[in-house]
Amino acid sequence: MNIGSMTPDTGLTRLALLILLPLLLAALIRAPWRQLLAKQERMNALGAAIVVLPLLWSMSPELPGGEKLHLLGMTAVTLLFSWQLAVIAGALAAGVLLVVGSWTPAALPLNMLLVVVVPVLVSSAVLAAANRLPRTNLFVYMLGVAFVGSMLAIGVSLWIGSRMLGTDLDHALVMLMTFPEGFINGAVISARAVFAPELLRTYDDERYLGKPRGS
């Protein structure tokens, strides 16, 4: 969800900036740059994410209130690269939409809060909760974290956005958005976990398959 053609309240914009700027700074400092640069495939995947995200966010029908609904894709990016690189990738993708004129400078902070920060934080929280379970397996990661986690991420983003903007969202429309969000993120992460688990920053063979490290 982004605010589309709506004019954001000054107080909401300031609140968004107070959250965004420290988080972006922390992401830049703590991002796993060494691991990213160690594999060309990871850099290529991050570049692809920065290209795909603006396209995904541009497919957004406008609602009567002015806000726009679209898929997020941030759960997959978070699980692929870590929350730090997900925030950075989301910021760069938002910059692309700003340059092409799809997002206005005034709407950028609030849009980034709803489209990037909220889903990244929710996805990270779901991952942390899954990792604290006494017993886990591959399906917990693929279905619980990727599929259900992404559905929760877009649901929370829609809820926070509607509360901040004072708009009402149709429950059927929300459900219509959550399932494809879960399917897309779940499919991307499942494919990576099966065919290229070494490229998943948040995946651990020892935890989810019981394999000893290095096997």
Side-chain angles (χ1 to χ4, degrees):
M1 177 183 188
N2 69 73
I3 65 174
S5 60
M6 302 176 69
T7 301
D9 179 80
T10 303
L12 291 178
T13 300
R14 289 175 179 172
L15 175 62
L17 286 172
L18 285 174
I19 298 172
L20 283 170
L21 294 178
L23 189 65
L24 185 56
L25 180 61
L28 287 168
I29 294 173
R30 300 185 59 186
W33 298 113
R34 183 176 300 177
Q35 291 84 347
L36 175 68
L37 298 175
K39 282 185 175 290
Q40 183 66 41
E41 295 87 347
R42 288 176 182 159
M43 291 189 288
N44 292 341
L46 184 63
I50 295 170
V51 172
V52 171
L53 287 175
L55 298 176
L56 193 64
W57 300 345
S58 297
M59 295 184 288
S60 48
E62 185 169 325
L63 299 180
E67 67 274 21
K68 295 183 177 181
L69 291 182
H70 54 80
L71 301 177
L72 302 175
M74 289 306 300
T75 297
V77 178
T78 302
L79 297 180
L80 279 166
F81 305 109
S82 77
W83 73 265
Q84 298 96 331
L85 289 175
V87 169
I88 294 169
L92 292 174
V96 171
L97 291 179
L98 181 65
V99 169
V100 301
S102 296
W103 288 3
T104 64
L108 182 64
L110 196 54
N111 281 344
M112 278 195 61
L113 181 67
L114 297 175
V115 176
V116 178
V117 174
V118 170
V120 167
L121 293 181
V122 172
S123 302
S124 299
V126 173
L127 176 64
N131 287 342
R132 290 179 65 88
L133 293 174
R135 297 186 65 181
T136 58
N137 56 51
L138 184 59
F139 291 101
V140 170
Y141 185 80
M142 293 191 302
L143 299 180
V145 181
F147 183 81
V148 177
S150 60
M151 293 176 70
L152 286 174
I154 194 171
V156 173
S157 176
L158 290 171
W159 181 80
I160 291 177
S162 65
R163 297 285 75 78
M164 294 178 74
L165 300 175
T167 59
D168 292 322
L169 290 175
D170 186 278
H171 290 172
L173 188 59
V174 172
M175 293 302 297
L176 189 64
M177 295 296 296
T178 56
F179 182 79
E181 179 75 18
F183 177 80
I184 290 175
N185 286 270
V188 170
I189 295 304
S190 296
R192 284 291 186 178
V194 172
F195 297 109
E198 70 279 1
L199 298 181
L200 273 172
R201 170 71 180 173
T202 60
Y203 180 78
D204 186 345
D205 268 344
E206 184 178 17
R207 179 184 300 278
Y208 293 108
L209 288 180
K211 291 184 178 180
R213 295 184 185 276
S215 64

